[in-house]
Amino acid sequence: MTGPESGAERTAGPARRAALEQAVTDEVVASFAHARTERFTELMSSLVRHLHAFARDVRLTQPEWEAAIAFLTATGQTCTDKRQEFILLSDVLGLSMQTVGINAASSQAATESTVFGPFFVEGSPRIELGGDIAEGVSGRPCYVSGRVLDDTGAPISGARVELWEADDEGFYDVQYGGDRMQARGHLFSGDGGAYRFWSVLPAPYPIPYDGPVGQLLDAANRSPMRPAHIHFMVKAPGCRTLITHIFVAGSPHLTDDAVFAVKPSLVVDFVEHPPGTAPDGRVLDGPWHEASFDLVLARTR
Ligand code: BEZ
Ligand code: FE
């Protein structure tokens, strides 16, 4: 032997290799031990442990590491003030729904939450109770009503109910560019917590798939489609803000939502009616749909 290592050391067995790999993990974890907050130490130590365990588990190759860096770089480069590709990545990896679940209200009575999605816009138009948010988007008229309640069953009047949905082509207003606001709005619940509004029957649509996240779905042979839904965000003093959707019962993609956001308690019948007069007196010359859903907020107490 010419060097300091013996042949036995150079051909280290699996146990020695594992010990060397573990030493790298331990050294990096230790480097976060004195972070400015304990929570940061906790977050980074756990992240490093899981990342290293992943790399060791799959025996990550150098080309695979390079592909991952290129993918994350492209994901960042796809983000603009109108498009958040990293949230989309979190959504298709199920991280968004995992985080929603971890932070769910403990009250069993409260309406279940689901993903926020990237298409909420501040400053939506206010509509009166029973008004129409469609603003001319195409689609069958759809009347949605219910009550805003707290988790003891008490009605909440004056709750702010934000609503947004795609048109029947599967696009949100913001995806057309420009400033038009359609199929979105907000209202305040009335006496007895009642809310009601008109819109259009939602349709299934694909999440944006023309970027890196779309390539990931394609490589996985996964669909970008989401089942038909309407988004709600409901705020009332003394209550946890509720972010949820209602899904159309029978919609395609209820069982393969690209972002894993469907919960059975949020699937609602959108009953089809023939032309005629709706409960609020509106006369419809074509078929229309009606859905009813109570929005139950957890008290912060
Ligand atoms: C949405 O429902 O608007 C949505 C949610 C997650 C990703 C993309 C879109
Ligand atoms: Fe949506």
Side-chain angles (χ1 to χ4, degrees), residues 159-177:
R160 184 182 174 112
V161 181
E162 289 277 355
L163 308 156
W164 66 106
E165 66 164 299
D167 63 18
D168 69 351
E169 303 283 319
F171 292 108
Y172 286 81
D173 48 7
V174 285
Q175 293 177 285
Y176 290 104

Side-chain angles (χ1 to χ4, degrees), residues 218-239:
D218 186 55
N221 207 9
R222 269 176 56 184
S223 160
M225 294 301 291
R226 299 215 57 211
H229 59 272
I230 301 176
H231 292 258
F232 288 77
M233 177 163 66
V234 189
K235 293 185 179 191
C239 293

Side-chain angles (χ1 to χ4, degrees), residues 68-79:
I69 296 293
F71 174 79
L72 292 174
T73 304
T75 300
Q77 288 168 341
T78 306
C79 294

Side-chain angles (χ1 to χ4, degrees), residues 5-155:
E5 276 186 350
S6 70
E9 280 168 332
R10 273 203 311 277
T11 55
R16 178 156 166 73
R17 183 187 273 263
L20 290 170
E21 291 170 358
Q22 185 60 45
V24 176
T25 304
D26 292 344
E27 188 179 352
V28 182
V29 168
S31 78
F32 287 103
H34 307 291
R36 297 194 197 285
T37 66
E38 281 181 24
R39 179 65 172 159
F40 195 66
T41 295
E42 182 183 6
L43 291 171
M44 293 310 297
S45 306
S46 181
L47 178 65
V48 167
R49 278 198 201 92
H50 283 88
L51 270 180
H52 287 216
F54 158 74
R56 290 164 64 187
D57 181 30
V58 300
R59 306 312 299 166
L60 190 68
T61 67
Q62 204 68 32
E64 287 164 346
W65 179 88
E66 282 163 18
I69 296 293
F71 174 79
L72 292 174
T73 304
T75 300
Q77 288 168 341
T78 306
C79 294
T80 66
D81 60 344
K82 296 247 157 41
R83 177 161 178 168
Q84 232 304 350
E85 194 78 356
F86 270 112
I87 295 184
L88 213 52
L89 178 58
S90 164
D91 293 339
V92 303
L93 293 179
L95 179 60
S96 306
M97 276 310 286
Q98 195 67 264
T99 308
V100 166
I102 290 165
N103 293 284
S106 51
S107 165
Q108 297 281 316
T111 299
E112 291 193 279
S113 304
T114 192
V115 288
F116 194 42
F119 297 124
F120 173 74
V121 175
E122 294 285 355
S124 73
R126 177 176 176 179
I127 57 158
E128 293 308 315
L129 267 183
D132 195 339
I133 63 169
E135 282 297 318
V137 286
S138 56
R140 278 194 180 179
C142 179
Y143 183 69
V144 183
S145 65
R147 291 171 304 159
V148 183
L149 305 170
D150 74 11
D151 52 3
T152 69

